[in-house]
């Protein structure tokens, strides 16, 4: 029993939790969300760019995208952050005009996440039926407009769950910016918890950090399922009249029998 | 039934000496096709004969290796293909509606982005086209809520909304359940009688016989025979066409 009590005190000491919680709620969570949101948006933009480059007919666009993706996915995130933090700090100071480690941290998080998102988007875009592009181009759309208005929106929708997984990954990844050396008010969830735990010798702050991450990530995973469903079905349409009545009973939905593969029916010569 | 004013500007379309290869596969071997203004040409032939590929070269979705496409007597090979395609509507076997847009947005998409119409004007035009194919009530729905036949009618409305001068149909009823085919063919026959220039790749021999002004039989990448429907169906000249008709009729 004593062991259990000690374990409990070590991770669930209410006194320590009460001390760390206000800092977590006023600074930690918001700094984590800020780092994630900014680098998430930038990574989506860069990821789309990488995906489109990776599918280009020009090797001068395709190869840089491939190499970038291979390198950035192939090295540990912490290594890149340390490389940038230690090696490029002086450069970041000149470029961003601040000694805050945030711009550098956001850059590192963006570069890493974009490499993964690029591959996710590429697989989504490539899964869009070629008939979609045919239809848009037959209307008179250029290949660029077709990509922008028809292919990319559909492709990204298909990989929305995978994209959201990557963004959840990014939330957790953002803890690594503590390697860049954060000032007191810049600390995010992990750094606050770690500081507190090492000062107090009690791990309850780490428990608080874990709960904070879960509070952010778990609703997000459920949100993505909701959005996914919504995108699939579109907005709910409320129509007063029976929508099927007008076209007659023979014209019932047959979407399950609609081939989407572009494969022609095998026995078509015999159709008269 | 309201008449759509698409046919007034219809022009003739012509394919001259079209060659096209995919790798070592010589799909089109010098195809000639002349479809006069306001007439309907049906292209029939076995699988792999190059019918659909020919149709795709006619709006330059596939660029021929040699030969040219003439619209209204003038070669379009030097034109911007995107501008040219706005003049030639196409309907596909698998409808290819945009699933992330509503039925209405599918039809207004080209009007707004390419014709640069305002929202209200584009929607009014689209609703008129949807009403013509009997689907105005479906405007707010996604295509996935529609049957195959309804989706194909929306695809037709989407193409006609652009006021094309020629319409291409690529086996548009092949993916439909038999009971849904008639509605599409009726709309096509109507469009034909209104004076639209139409090129129709089809396995519907009844449609070819009754609606077409001219029927072209293709096999192995060439036009084997072309002529009035009665001549093609009742008095086939070549052994290949006779064999094909024996199989399909």
């Amino acid at each position: 029993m004593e062991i259990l009590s000690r374990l409990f005190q070590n991770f669930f000491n209410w006194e320590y939790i009460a001390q760390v919680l206000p800092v977590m709620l006023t600074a930690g969570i918001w700094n984590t969300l800020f780092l994630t949101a900014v680098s998430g948006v930038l990574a989506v933009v860069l990821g789309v760019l990488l995906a489109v480059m990776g599918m280009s007919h020009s090797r001068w666009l395709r190869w840089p995208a491939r190499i970038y993706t291979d390198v950035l996915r192939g090295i540990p995130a912490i290594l890149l952050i340390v490389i940038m933090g230690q090696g490029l700090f002086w450069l970041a100071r000149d470029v961003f005009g601040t000694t805050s480690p945030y711009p550098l941290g956001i850059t590192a998080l963006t570069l890493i996440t974009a490499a993964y998102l690029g591959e996710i988007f590429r697989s989504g875009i490539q899964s869009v039926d070629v008939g979609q592009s045919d239809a848009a181009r037959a209307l008179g759309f250029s290949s660029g407009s077709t990509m922008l208005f028809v292919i990319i929106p559909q492709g990204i929708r298909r990989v929305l769950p995978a994209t959201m997984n990557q963004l959840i990954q990014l939330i957790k990844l953002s803890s690594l910016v503590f390697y860049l050396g954060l000032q007191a008010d810049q600390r995010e969830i992990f750094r606050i918890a770690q500081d507190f735990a090492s000062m107090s010798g009690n791990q309850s702050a780490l428990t608080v950090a874990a709960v904070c991450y879960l509070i952010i990530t778990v609703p997000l995973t459920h949100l993505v399922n909701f959005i996914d469903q919504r995108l699939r079905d579109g907005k709910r349409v409320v129509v007063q009249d029976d929508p099927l009545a007008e076209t007659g009973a023979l014209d019932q939905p047959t979407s399950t029998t609609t081939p989407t593969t572009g494969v022609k029916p095998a026995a078509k010569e015999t159709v008269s | 039934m309201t008449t759509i004013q698409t046919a007034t500007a219809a022009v003739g379309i012509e394919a001259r000496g079209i060659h096209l290869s995919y790798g070592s596969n010589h799909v089109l071997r010098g195809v000639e096709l002349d479809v006069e203004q306001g007439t309907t040409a049906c292209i029939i032939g076995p699988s792999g004969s190059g019918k659909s590929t020919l149709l795709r070269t006619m709006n330059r979705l596939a660029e021929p290796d040699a030969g040219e496409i003439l619209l209204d007597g003038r070669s379009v090979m030097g034109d911007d293909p995107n501008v040219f395609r706005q003049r030639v509507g196409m309907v596909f076997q698998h409808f290819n509606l945009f699933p992330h847009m509503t039925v209405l947005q599918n039809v207004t998409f080209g009007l707004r982005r390419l014709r640069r119409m305002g929202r209200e004007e584009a929607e009014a035009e689209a609703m008129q086209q949807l009403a013509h194919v009997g689907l105005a009530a479906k405007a707010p729905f996604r295509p996935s809520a529609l049957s195959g036949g309804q989706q194909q009618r929306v695809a037709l409305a989407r193409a006609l909304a652009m006021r094309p001068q020629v319409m291409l149909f690529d086996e548009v009823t092949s993916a439909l359940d038999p009971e849904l085919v008639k509605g599409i063919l009726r709309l096509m026959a109507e469009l034909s009688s209104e004076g639209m220039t139409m090129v129709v790749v089809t396995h519907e021999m009844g449609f070819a016989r009754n609606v077409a002004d001219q029927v072209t039989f293709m096999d192995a990448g060439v036009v084997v025979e072309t002529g009035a429907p009665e001549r093609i169906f009742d008095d086939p000249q070549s052994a290949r066409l006779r064999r094909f008709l024996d199989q399909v009729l």
Side-chain angles (χ1 to χ4, degrees):
Chain A
M1 279 313 285
E2 202 202 305
I3 292 177
L4 278 182
S5 162
R6 247 178 91 180
L7 275 175
F8 191 82
Q9 278 305 311
N10 206 6
F11 291 104
F12 298 96
N13 184 308
W14 295 114
E15 215 172 293
Y16 289 120
I17 289 174
Q19 281 178 35
V20 77
L21 204 53
V23 194
M24 226 31 130
L25 294 179
T26 55
I29 285 185
W30 300 109
N31 285 334
T32 292
L33 285 177
F34 177 77
L35 284 167
T36 308
V38 177
S39 41
V41 169
L42 294 175
V44 166
V45 174
L46 184 58
V48 170
L49 191 69
L50 282 168
V52 173
M53 283 173 69
M55 293 180 301
S56 168
H57 294 296
S58 159
R59 72 177 71 164
W60 301 108
L61 291 174
R62 205 170 58 239
W63 286 11
R66 299 294 327 151
I67 293 168
Y68 176 93
T69 305
D70 283 349
V71 171
L72 270 288
R73 284 199 310 179
I75 61 175
I78 194 166
L79 180 63
L80 181 74
I81 285 175
V82 172
I83 287 174
M84 291 185 66
Q86 293 177 0
L88 299 178
F89 189 69
W90 55 274
L91 183 66
R93 197 181 48 205
D94 292 348
V95 172
F96 299 117
T98 171
T99 53
S100 163
Y102 267 34
L104 204 55
I106 286 169
T107 307
L109 294 174
T110 300
L111 293 179
I112 295 162
T113 305
Y116 289 93
L117 286 180
E119 285 300 277
I120 292 171
F121 293 159
R122 191 165 64 94
S123 73
I125 289 168
Q126 283 177 332
S127 75
V128 176
D129 190 281
V130 69
Q132 290 291 308
S133 145
D134 280 350
R137 295 185 54 222
L139 284 171
F141 284 92
S142 66
S143 46
S145 297
T146 298
M147 194 53 119
L148 191 63
F149 298 123
V150 175
I151 309 299
I152 289 179
Q154 290 184 56
I156 290 186
R157 261 160 233 231
R158 286 180 187 204
V159 292
L160 204 67
T163 302
M164 194 50 89
N165 276 339
Q166 202 56 51
L167 295 179
I168 287 168
Q169 200 76 296
L170 172 63
I171 292 169
K172 298 179 283 176
L173 205 62
S174 69
S175 60
L176 292 180
V177 297
F178 93 91
Y179 270 97
L180 299 176
L182 300 171
Q183 289 160 21
D185 61 341
Q186 294 172 332
R187 294 177 306 168
E188 38 63 68
I189 296 173
F190 173 72
R191 183 63 199 261
I192 291 172
Q194 209 222 11
D195 282 355
F196 212 87
S198 58
M199 280 187 313
S200 63
N202 181 285
Q203 316 307 316
S204 299
L206 298 179
T207 309
V208 174
V211 173
C212 285
Y213 279 116
L214 289 174
I215 287 171
I216 302 173
T217 54
V218 172
L220 271 181
T221 51
H222 291 276
L223 176 70
V224 74
N225 291 340
F226 171 77
I227 295 174
D228 190 40
Q229 197 59 43
R230 177 68 171 268
L231 287 175
R232 249 182 251 282
D233 302 341
K235 271 188 199 157
R236 273 194 56 144
V237 179
V238 182
V239 177
Q240 313 220 305
D241 300 325
D242 178 6
L244 292 174
E246 169 235 3
T247 51
L250 278 180
D251 221 353
Q252 294 295 320
T254 55
S255 56
T256 49
T257 61
T258 303
T260 54
T261 53
V263 177
K264 295 178 184 181
K268 63 181 202 162
E269 287 100 320
T270 59
V271 178
S272 61
Chain B
M1 185 67 72
T2 53
T3 303
I4 319 182
Q5 277 138 37
T6 45
T8 48
V11 299
I13 191 165
E14 205 177 324
R16 270 197 202 152
I18 301 292
H19 283 264
L20 180 64
S21 298
Y22 291 120
S24 61
N25 186 9
H26 204 158
V27 186
L28 298 176
R29 304 161 180 258
V31 177
E32 307 282 338
L33 185 71
D34 188 355
V35 185
E36 284 181 26
Q37 175 186 348
T39 65
T40 294
C42 281
I43 306 177
I44 60 172
S47 270
S49 57
K51 313 181 292 291
S52 291
T53 308
L54 172 65
L55 206 63
R56 290 171 67 85
T57 64
M58 295 186 82
N59 69 349
R60 294 179 63 194
L61 269 185
E63 292 286 5
D65 300 330
E68 54 183 4
I69 301 297
L70 283 76
L71 199 64
D72 203 11
R74 196 180 64 80
S75 171
V76 297
M77 304 316 282
D79 295 1
D80 177 344
N82 301 323
V83 176
F84 160 64
R85 284 192 203 105
Q86 293 186 31
R87 303 169 64 189
V88 181
M90 187 166 188
V91 183
F92 299 87
Q93 181 178 8
H94 295 296
F95 336 132
N96 301 351
L97 293 181
F98 306 125
H100 59 304
M101 302 180 189
T102 64
V103 164
L104 182 65
Q105 286 166 341
N106 264 276
V107 184
T108 57
F109 180 49
L111 296 176
R112 298 204 60 194
R113 297 266 177 208
L114 296 171
R115 293 266 189 263
R116 297 279 164 205
M117 281 187 190
R119 177 192 289 268
E120 280 181 22
E121 192 189 354
E123 289 186 350
E125 169 70 24
M127 287 309 291
Q128 194 191 332
Q129 296 291 345
L130 286 171
H132 181 76
V133 299
L135 290 174
K138 294 292 188 182
F141 289 87
R142 294 289 179 105
S144 57
L146 273 59
S147 73
Q150 291 172 334
Q151 289 190 45
Q152 195 60 296
R153 277 144 67 187
V154 174
L156 182 62
R158 175 175 70 178
L160 290 177
M162 296 296 284
R163 309 253 161 154
Q165 297 174 300
V166 174
M167 280 293 296
L168 309 177
F169 294 86
D170 188 9
E171 302 188 25
V172 294
T173 56
S174 301
L176 296 177
D177 289 343
E179 73 270 23
L180 304 178
V181 168
K182 220 182 258 177
I184 298 292
L185 294 182
R186 187 179 52 75
L187 282 169
M188 288 167 65
E190 219 173 273
L191 192 62
S192 171
S193 69
E194 286 165 16
M196 173 60 82
T197 308
M198 298 176 30
V199 187
V200 182
V201 169
T202 190
H203 294 289
E204 298 290 338
M205 295 304 153
F207 180 85
R209 185 190 271 275
N210 297 323
V211 178
D213 299 292
Q214 155 194 336
V215 176
T216 296
F217 171 64
M218 279 184 73
D219 192 19
V222 292
V223 170
V224 179
E225 265 186 67
T226 193
E230 308 81 53
R231 206 181 65 68
I232 293 293
F233 288 109
D234 300 335
D235 186 21
Q237 303 296 306
S238 66
R240 277 198 278 185
L241 175 54
R242 274 197 295 274
R243 209 177 322 126
F244 175 73
L245 291 175
D246 280 347
Q247 282 169 349
V248 299
L249 291 178

